[in-house]
């Protein structure tokens, strides 16, 4: 479906921009949660997808305690979409004003509630609820290296799952 493809492109934009900004993965996952919640209620066709995506990333950085300036977020997002171009100064000034409006729209849709569980937290809850799996994990993840490996694997799984149709289509 077209809606899913558009949402998937927004998800990719957030992930690529987050990597370019070297922003914490928790901020990116939070931004993706905000994006899905926003587009759960609002149309992807009636709202500027670039600005909403960048507003979600901007807010995700604030919520995850690794904020980036609005200018950095917009310039990085622009360079993801247009790798060989630099944004014009007038475009950047207008985009910053529009980003504030988009941020407010996302904030109102969220109801100013930021204490959401990210996908990582849901995954850990699921894994630790099952006694057999929990005891297996506790038995095998004894060292710091094993735990770090598991964290990388779980983050990869969560980041990849942000692109699947079930997550893209439903809140």
């Amino acid at each position: 479906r077209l809606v899913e493809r558009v949402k998937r492109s927004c998800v990719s934009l957030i992930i690529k921009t987050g990597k370019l900004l070297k922003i914490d993965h928790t901020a990116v996952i939070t931004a993706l949660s905000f994006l899905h919640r926003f587009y759960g209620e609002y149309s992807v066709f009636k709202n500027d997808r670039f600005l909403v995506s960048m507003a979600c990333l901007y807010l995700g950085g604030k919520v995850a305690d690794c904020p980036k300036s609005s200018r950095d977020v917009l310039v990085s997002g622009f360079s993801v979409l247009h790798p060989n171009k630099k944004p014009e100064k007038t475009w950047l000034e207008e985009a910053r004003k529009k980003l504030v409006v988009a941020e407010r729209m996302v904030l109102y849709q969220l109801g100013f509630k930021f204490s959401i569980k990210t996908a990582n937290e849901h995954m850990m809850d699921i894994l630790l609820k099952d006694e057999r799996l929990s005891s297996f994990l506790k038995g095998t993840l004894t060292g710091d290296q094993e735990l770090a490996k598991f964290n990388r694997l779980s983050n990869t799984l969560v980041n990849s799952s942000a692109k699947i149709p079930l997550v893209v289509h439903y809140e």
Side-chain angles (χ1 to χ4, degrees), residues 79-168:
S79 66
V80 166
L81 292 179
H82 310 286
N84 299 324
K85 291 183 179 179
K86 293 252 184 212
E88 295 177 10
K89 192 174 184 174
T90 55
W91 177 86
L92 190 56
E93 289 170 6
E94 284 300 311
R96 286 175 91 172
K97 291 175 188 172
K98 291 177 182 178
L99 183 69
V100 171
V101 174
E103 180 186 23
R104 279 193 201 133
M105 286 173 39
V106 173
L107 285 169
Y108 282 117
Q109 193 285 325
L110 295 171
F112 293 89
K113 294 177 186 167
F114 303 113
S115 59
I116 60 164
K117 271 194 163 185
T118 61
N120 297 49
E121 294 168 312
H122 283 296
M123 188 169 109
M124 291 308 294
D125 287 348
I126 290 168
L127 290 175
L128 296 176
K129 276 184 185 174
D130 186 276
E131 280 185 42
R132 292 176 301 180
L133 187 57
S134 179
S135 64
F136 170 76
L137 290 173
K138 288 176 185 170
T140 56
L141 300 176
T142 53
D144 288 341
Q145 286 183 331
E146 285 85 8
L147 189 59
K149 231 187 262 184
F150 177 73
N151 283 336
R152 279 194 305 277
L153 177 64
S154 65
N155 286 330
T156 302
L157 176 65
V158 168
N159 290 336
S160 298
S161 72
K163 296 180 182 179
I164 64 172
L166 182 66
V167 176
V168 171

Side-chain angles (χ1 to χ4, degrees), residues 7-21 23 27-36 39 49-50 52-58 77 80:
K7 285 183 183 178
R8 213 172 286 129
S9 70
C10 293
V11 167
S12 287
L13 176 63
I14 288 175
I15 292 171
K16 289 176 183 175
T17 305
K19 282 182 183 178
L20 192 61
L21 285 167
I23 200 168
V28 173
I29 292 168
T30 304
L32 294 173
S33 298
F34 292 165
L35 181 85
H36 290 308
Y39 282 133
R49 297 181 291 269
F50 174 77
V52 170
S53 298
M54 294 302 96
C56 289
L57 186 59
Y58 183 60
V80 166

